[in-house]
Amino acid sequence: MISFPNCKINSGLHILSKREDGFHNLATFFYPLPLHDALEIIQAKKTVFTNSGLPVPGNANDNICLKAYQLLKKDFAELPPVKIHLHKTIPMGAGLGGGSADGAFTLKLLNEKFDLGLSTDQLINYALQLGSDCPFFIVNKPSMATGRGEILEPLPIDLSAYKFVIVNPGIHINTGWAFSQITPAPPKKSIKQIIVQPIETWKQELKNDFEEPVFKNHSEIKSIKEELYKQGAVYASMSGSGSTVYGIFKKEIELSFNFPAHYFVKELHS
């Protein structure tokens, strides 16, 4: 059985407060985009993980797909050994949620393939144990996210009339460092209020708290956002804690970029 984990972007991201459990309460709007990995799970004699495509850093035994399997195996002893193969296309450590998507889609695929009967809420609970962004990919619809990211409220935001350009310069932003640069505080106007307004108002009001410290330390990431606006983006922002920056454009706009050759640049239609 095969599925295709997709990426996401954040439109607006506020760090509201530090929690007693060491995590942060945040508010953000998640929007799924059609840049996909490929994930295949087949029954096997022993559980193994293999991968192709973009190199996956770290020990294969620590991969989030295996962690998802092991999480379910604790509660479902009858879950048989499997071979998991991941073909990686979504850049990693980029603010696009590629790893989180892989973990969440593994949970969904195992649930479907082996008839585990898990509800959406149960899958979300397992996903949160894998990472704060993982629950979104269980729902995988445009959603406001609060709490650690697990409290999801789908919103009927349709951006299919636009095209997206995502640009990743290959810079790794350490998430722990990024959080350490933020002084948590509630915004004057909530992301939920802004996101339902006309998209033309987003440029002035919809902010990502991580941009200021990341741009200060990596001027080339700031330059990407500036270039997207020069090319006519209706809205541009860094996604998550970076380093991917995306622009939302009217479909009729002709685009011509001159980013360095090593940048990952992709035009997508939602």
Coordinates of all heavy atoms in Angstrom, one line a residue, residues 184-246:
P184 N 7.6 35.3 24.0 CA 6.2 35.0 23.8 C 5.3 36.1 24.2 O 5.5 36.7 25.2 CB 6.0 33.7 24.6 CG 7.3 33.1 24.8 CD 8.3 34.3 24.9
A185 N 4.3 36.4 23.4 CA 3.3 37.4 23.7 C 2.1 37.3 22.7 O 2.3 36.9 21.6 CB 3.9 38.8 23.5
P186 N 0.9 37.5 23.2 CA -0.3 37.5 22.3 C -0.2 38.6 21.4 O 0.2 39.7 21.7 CB -1.4 37.5 23.3 CG -0.9 38.2 24.5 CD 0.5 37.8 24.6
P187 N -0.7 38.4 20.1 CA -0.7 39.5 19.2 C -1.9 40.5 19.4 O -2.8 40.1 20.1 CB -0.9 38.8 17.8 CG -1.7 37.6 18.2 CD -1.2 37.2 19.6
K188 N -1.8 41.7 18.8 CA -2.9 42.6 18.9 C -4.1 42.1 18.2 O -5.3 42.4 18.5 CB -2.5 44.0 18.4 CG -1.4 44.7 19.3 CD -1.0 46.0 18.7 CE 0.1 46.6 19.6 NZ 0.6 47.9 19.0
K189 N -3.9 41.4 17.1 CA -5.0 40.9 16.2 C -4.7 39.5 15.9 O -3.6 39.1 15.5 CB -5.1 41.7 15.0 CG -6.3 41.4 14.1 CD -6.4 42.4 13.0 CE -7.7 42.2 12.1 NZ -7.8 43.2 11.0
S190 N -5.7 38.6 16.1 CA -5.4 37.2 15.9 C -5.2 36.8 14.5 O -5.8 37.4 13.6 CB -6.5 36.4 16.5 OG -7.7 36.4 15.7
I191 N -4.5 35.7 14.3 CA -4.3 35.2 12.9 C -5.7 34.8 12.3 O -5.9 35.0 11.1 CB -3.3 34.0 12.9 CG1 -1.9 34.4 13.2 CG2 -3.4 33.2 11.6 CD1 -0.9 33.3 13.5
K192 N -6.5 34.2 13.1 CA -7.8 33.8 12.6 C -8.6 34.9 12.1 O -9.3 34.8 11.1 CB -8.6 33.1 13.8 CG -9.9 32.5 13.3 CD -10.7 31.7 14.4 CE -12.0 31.2 13.9 NZ -12.7 30.5 15.0
Q193 N -8.5 36.1 12.7 CA -9.2 37.3 12.2 C -8.7 37.7 10.9 O -9.4 38.1 10.0 CB -9.1 38.4 13.3 CG -9.9 38.3 14.5 CD -9.6 39.4 15.5 OE1 -8.6 39.5 16.1 NE2 -10.6 40.3 15.6
I194 N -7.3 37.7 10.8 CA -6.7 38.2 9.6 C -6.9 37.2 8.4 O -7.1 37.6 7.3 CB -5.2 38.4 9.8 CG1 -4.9 39.4 10.9 CG2 -4.4 38.8 8.6 CD1 -3.5 39.4 11.5
I195 N -6.8 35.9 8.7 CA -6.8 34.9 7.6 C -8.1 34.9 6.8 O -8.2 34.5 5.6 CB -6.5 33.5 8.1 CG1 -5.7 32.7 7.1 CG2 -7.7 32.8 8.7 CD1 -4.3 33.0 6.9
V196 N -9.2 35.3 7.4 CA -10.5 35.3 6.7 C -10.7 36.6 6.0 O -11.7 36.8 5.3 CB -11.7 35.1 7.7 CG1 -11.6 33.7 8.3 CG2 -11.8 36.1 8.8
Q197 N -9.8 37.6 6.1 CA -9.9 38.8 5.4 C -9.4 38.6 3.9 O -8.8 37.6 3.6 CB -9.0 39.9 6.0 CG -9.4 40.3 7.4 CD -8.4 41.2 8.1 OE1 -8.6 41.7 9.2 NE2 -7.3 41.5 7.4
P198 N -9.7 39.6 3.0 CA -9.1 39.4 1.7 C -7.6 39.3 1.7 O -6.9 39.9 2.5 CB -9.5 40.8 1.0 CG -10.7 41.2 1.8 CD -10.5 40.7 3.2
I199 N -7.1 38.4 0.8 CA -5.6 38.1 0.9 C -4.7 39.3 0.7 O -3.6 39.4 1.2 CB -5.3 37.0 -0.2 CG1 -3.9 36.4 0.1 CG2 -5.5 37.5 -1.6 CD1 -3.6 35.2 -0.8
E200 N -5.3 40.3 0.0 CA -4.5 41.6 -0.2 C -4.1 42.3 1.1 O -3.2 43.1 1.2 CB -5.3 42.6 -1.1 CG -5.4 42.1 -2.5 CD -6.4 41.0 -2.7 OE1 -7.3 40.8 -1.8 OE2 -6.4 40.4 -3.8
T201 N -4.9 42.0 2.2 CA -4.6 42.6 3.5 C -3.5 41.8 4.3 O -3.0 42.3 5.3 CB -5.9 42.7 4.4 OG1 -6.3 41.3 4.8 CG2 -7.0 43.3 3.6
W202 N -3.2 40.6 3.9 CA -2.3 39.8 4.7 C -0.9 40.4 4.8 O -0.2 40.3 5.8 CB -2.2 38.4 4.0 CG -3.4 37.6 4.1 CD1 -4.6 37.9 4.6 CD2 -3.5 36.2 3.8 NE1 -5.5 36.9 4.5 CE2 -4.8 35.8 4.0 CE3 -2.6 35.2 3.3 CZ2 -5.3 34.5 3.7 CZ3 -3.0 34.0 3.0 CH2 -4.4 33.6 3.2
K203 N -0.4 41.1 3.7 CA 1.0 41.6 3.7 C 1.2 42.5 4.8 O 2.3 42.4 5.4 CB 1.2 42.3 2.3 CG 2.6 42.9 2.2 CD 2.9 43.5 0.9 CE 4.3 44.1 0.7 NZ 4.5 44.7 -0.6
Q204 N 0.3 43.3 5.2 CA 0.5 44.3 6.3 C 0.3 43.7 7.7 O 0.8 44.2 8.7 CB -0.4 45.5 6.1 CG -0.2 46.2 4.8 CD 1.3 46.7 4.7 OE1 1.9 47.2 5.6 NE2 1.8 46.6 3.5
E205 N -0.6 42.6 7.7 CA -1.0 42.2 9.1 C -0.6 40.8 9.5 O -0.5 40.5 10.7 CB -2.5 42.3 9.1 CG -3.1 43.7 9.0 CD -4.6 43.7 9.3 OE1 -5.4 43.4 8.5 OE2 -4.9 44.0 10.5
L206 N -0.3 39.9 8.5 CA -0.1 38.5 8.8 C 1.4 38.2 9.0 O 2.2 38.3 8.0 CB -0.7 37.6 7.7 CG -0.9 36.1 8.1 CD1 -1.8 35.9 9.2 CD2 -1.4 35.4 6.8
K207 N 1.8 38.0 10.2 CA 3.3 37.9 10.6 C 3.7 36.6 11.1 O 2.9 35.9 11.7 CB 3.6 39.0 11.6 CG 3.2 40.4 11.3 CD 3.8 41.0 10.1 CE 3.4 42.4 9.9 NZ 3.9 43.0 8.6
N208 N 4.9 36.2 10.8 CA 5.6 35.0 11.4 C 6.6 35.5 12.4 O 7.6 36.2 12.0 CB 6.2 34.2 10.3 CG 6.9 33.0 10.8 OD1 7.3 32.8 12.0 ND2 7.2 32.0 9.9
D209 N 6.4 35.2 13.7 CA 7.3 35.7 14.7 C 8.8 35.3 14.5 O 9.7 35.9 15.0 CB 6.9 35.1 16.1 CG 5.6 35.9 16.6 OD1 5.2 36.9 16.1 OD2 5.1 35.4 17.7
F210 N 9.0 34.2 13.8 CA 10.4 33.7 13.6 C 11.1 34.5 12.6 O 12.4 34.4 12.5 CB 10.4 32.2 13.2 CG 10.0 31.3 14.3 CD1 8.9 30.4 14.1 CD2 10.8 31.1 15.4 CE1 8.6 29.5 15.2 CE2 10.5 30.3 16.4 CZ 9.4 29.5 16.3
E211 N 10.4 35.3 11.7 CA 11.1 36.0 10.7 C 12.2 37.0 11.2 O 13.3 37.0 10.7 CB 10.1 36.7 9.8 CG 9.4 35.8 8.8 CD 8.6 36.6 7.7 OE1 8.6 37.8 7.8 OE2 8.1 36.0 6.8
E212 N 11.8 37.7 12.2 CA 12.8 38.8 12.7 C 14.1 38.2 13.1 O 15.2 38.6 12.6 CB 12.1 39.6 13.8 CG 13.0 40.7 14.2 CD 12.4 41.6 15.3 OE1 11.1 41.5 15.5 OE2 13.1 42.4 15.9
P213 N 14.2 37.2 14.0 CA 15.5 36.7 14.3 C 16.2 35.9 13.2 O 17.4 36.0 13.0 CB 15.2 35.7 15.5 CG 13.8 35.4 15.4 CD 13.1 36.6 14.8
V214 N 15.4 35.2 12.4 CA 16.0 34.4 11.3 C 16.6 35.4 10.2 O 17.7 35.2 9.8 CB 15.0 33.4 10.7 CG1 15.6 32.8 9.4 CG2 14.7 32.3 11.7
F215 N 15.8 36.4 9.9 CA 16.3 37.4 8.9 C 17.5 38.1 9.4 O 18.4 38.5 8.6 CB 15.2 38.4 8.5 CG 14.1 37.8 7.7 CD1 14.1 36.5 7.3 CD2 13.0 38.6 7.3 CE1 13.1 36.0 6.5 CE2 12.0 38.1 6.5 CZ 12.0 36.8 6.1
K216 N 17.6 38.4 10.7 CA 18.7 39.1 11.3 C 20.0 38.3 11.1 O 21.1 38.9 10.9 CB 18.4 39.4 12.7 CG 19.4 40.3 13.4 CD 19.0 40.6 14.9 CE 20.0 41.5 15.6 NZ 19.6 41.8 17.0
N217 N 19.9 37.0 11.3 CA 21.0 36.1 11.2 C 21.3 35.6 9.8 O 22.4 35.1 9.5 CB 20.9 35.0 12.2 CG 21.2 35.3 13.6 OD1 22.3 35.2 14.1 ND2 20.2 35.9 14.3
H218 N 20.3 35.6 8.9 CA 20.5 35.1 7.6 C 19.9 36.0 6.6 O 18.7 35.9 6.2 CB 19.9 33.7 7.5 CG 20.4 32.7 8.4 ND1 21.6 32.0 8.2 CD2 20.0 32.2 9.6 CE1 21.9 31.2 9.2 NE2 20.9 31.3 10.0
S219 N 20.6 37.0 6.1 CA 20.1 38.1 5.3 C 19.6 37.5 3.9 O 18.7 38.1 3.3 CB 21.1 39.2 5.0 OG 22.3 38.6 4.4
E220 N 20.2 36.4 3.5 CA 19.8 35.8 2.2 C 18.4 35.2 2.3 O 17.7 35.2 1.2 CB 20.8 34.7 1.7 CG 21.0 33.5 2.7 CD 22.1 33.7 3.7 OE1 22.2 34.7 4.4 OE2 23.0 32.9 3.7
I221 N 17.9 34.8 3.4 CA 16.5 34.4 3.5 C 15.6 35.6 3.4 O 14.5 35.5 2.8 CB 16.3 33.6 4.9 CG1 17.2 32.4 4.9 CG2 14.8 33.2 5.0 CD1 17.2 31.6 6.2
K222 N 16.0 36.7 4.1 CA 15.2 37.9 3.9 C 15.1 38.4 2.5 O 14.1 38.8 2.0 CB 15.8 39.0 4.8 CG 15.1 40.4 4.7 CD 15.8 41.4 5.6 CE 15.0 42.7 5.6 NZ 15.7 43.8 6.4
S223 N 16.2 38.2 1.8 CA 16.3 38.6 0.4 C 15.3 37.8 -0.5 O 14.8 38.3 -1.5 CB 17.7 38.5 -0.2 OG 18.6 39.3 0.5
I224 N 15.1 36.5 -0.2 CA 14.2 35.7 -0.9 C 12.8 36.3 -0.8 O 12.1 36.5 -1.8 CB 14.1 34.3 -0.4 CG1 15.5 33.6 -0.6 CG2 13.0 33.5 -1.1 CD1 15.6 32.2 0.1
K225 N 12.4 36.7 0.4 CA 11.0 37.3 0.6 C 10.9 38.6 -0.2 O 9.9 38.8 -0.9 CB 10.8 37.5 2.1 CG 9.4 38.1 2.4 CD 9.1 38.3 3.9 CE 7.8 38.9 4.1 NZ 7.5 39.1 5.6
E226 N 11.9 39.4 -0.2 CA 11.9 40.7 -0.9 C 11.8 40.4 -2.4 O 11.1 41.1 -3.1 CB 13.2 41.5 -0.6 CG 13.2 42.0 0.9 CD 14.6 42.5 1.2 OE1 15.6 42.3 0.5 OE2 14.7 43.2 2.3
E227 N 12.5 39.4 -2.9 CA 12.4 39.1 -4.3 C 11.0 38.6 -4.8 O 10.5 39.0 -5.8 CB 13.5 38.0 -4.7 CG 13.5 37.6 -6.2 CD 13.8 38.8 -7.1 OE1 14.4 39.8 -6.7 OE2 13.4 38.6 -8.3
L228 N 10.4 37.8 -3.9 CA 9.1 37.3 -4.2 C 8.1 38.5 -4.3 O 7.2 38.5 -5.2 CB 8.6 36.3 -3.1 CG 9.4 35.0 -3.1 CD1 9.0 34.2 -1.9 CD2 9.1 34.2 -4.4
Y229 N 8.2 39.5 -3.4 CA 7.4 40.7 -3.5 C 7.7 41.5 -4.8 O 6.8 42.0 -5.4 CB 7.5 41.5 -2.3 CG 6.5 41.1 -1.2 CD1 7.0 40.9 0.1 CD2 5.1 40.9 -1.4 CE1 6.1 40.5 1.2 CE2 4.3 40.5 -0.4 CZ 4.7 40.3 0.9 OH 3.9 39.9 1.9
K230 N 9.0 41.6 -5.1 CA 9.3 42.3 -6.3 C 8.7 41.7 -7.6 O 8.3 42.4 -8.5 CB 10.9 42.3 -6.5 CG 11.6 43.3 -5.7 CD 13.1 43.2 -5.9 CE 13.9 44.1 -5.0 NZ 15.4 43.9 -5.2
Q231 N 8.6 40.4 -7.5 CA 8.0 39.6 -8.7 C 6.5 39.7 -8.7 O 5.8 39.1 -9.6 CB 8.5 38.2 -8.7 CG 9.9 38.0 -8.9 CD 10.3 37.9 -10.4 OE1 9.5 37.7 -11.2 NE2 11.6 38.0 -10.7
G232 N 5.9 40.3 -7.7 CA 4.4 40.5 -7.7 C 3.6 39.6 -6.8 O 2.4 39.5 -7.0
A233 N 4.3 39.0 -5.8 CA 3.5 38.2 -4.8 C 2.4 39.0 -4.1 O 2.7 40.2 -3.7 CB 4.5 37.6 -3.8
V234 N 1.3 38.4 -4.0 CA 0.2 39.0 -3.2 C 0.6 39.0 -1.7 O 0.3 39.9 -0.9 CB -1.1 38.3 -3.4 CG1 -2.3 39.0 -2.6 CG2 -1.5 38.3 -4.9
Y235 N 1.2 37.8 -1.3 CA 1.7 37.6 0.0 C 2.9 36.7 0.0 O 3.0 35.8 -0.8 CB 0.6 36.9 0.9 CG 1.0 36.7 2.3 CD1 1.2 37.7 3.2 CD2 1.2 35.4 2.8 CE1 1.6 37.5 4.5 CE2 1.6 35.1 4.1 CZ 1.8 36.2 4.9 OH 2.2 36.0 6.2
A236 N 3.9 37.0 0.8 CA 5.1 36.2 1.0 C 5.4 36.1 2.4 O 5.2 37.0 3.2 CB 6.2 36.8 0.2
S237 N 6.0 34.9 2.8 CA 6.3 34.7 4.2 C 7.3 33.5 4.3 O 7.4 32.7 3.4 CB 5.1 34.4 5.0 OG 5.4 34.0 6.3
M238 N 8.0 33.5 5.4 CA 8.8 32.3 5.8 C 7.8 31.3 6.3 O 6.8 31.7 7.0 CB 9.9 32.7 6.8 CG 10.9 31.6 7.0 SD 12.2 32.1 8.1 CE 11.4 32.2 9.7
S239 N 8.0 30.0 6.1 CA 7.1 29.0 6.6 C 7.8 28.4 7.9 O 9.0 28.0 7.9 CB 6.9 27.9 5.6 OG 6.0 27.0 6.1
G240 N 7.0 28.3 8.9 CA 7.5 27.7 10.2 C 8.7 28.5 10.7 O 8.7 29.7 10.6
S241 N 9.7 27.8 11.2 CA 10.9 28.4 11.7 C 12.0 28.5 10.5 O 13.1 28.8 10.8 CB 11.5 27.7 12.9 OG 11.7 26.3 12.5
G242 N 11.5 28.3 9.3 CA 12.4 28.4 8.1 C 13.2 27.2 7.8 O 13.0 26.1 8.5
S243 N 13.9 27.2 6.7 CA 14.3 28.4 6.0 C 13.6 28.6 4.7 O 13.9 29.5 3.9 CB 15.8 28.4 5.7 OG 16.1 27.2 4.9
T244 N 12.5 27.8 4.5 CA 11.7 28.0 3.2 C 10.9 29.3 3.3 O 10.3 29.6 4.3 CB 10.8 26.8 3.0 OG1 11.6 25.6 2.8 CG2 9.9 27.0 1.8
V245 N 10.9 30.0 2.2 CA 10.0 31.2 2.0 C 9.1 30.9 0.8 O 9.6 30.3 -0.2 CB 10.9 32.5 1.7 CG1 10.0 33.7 1.6 CG2 11.9 32.7 2.9
Y246 N 7.9 31.3 0.9 CA 6.9 31.1 -0.2 C 6.3 32.4 -0.6 O 6.2 33.3 0.2 CB 5.9 30.0 0.2 CG 4.9 30.5 1.3 CD1 3.8 31.2 1.0 CD2 5.2 30.2 2.6 CE1 2.9 31.6 2.0 CE2 4.4 30.7 3.7 CZ 3.2 31.4 3.3 OH 2.4 31.8 4.3

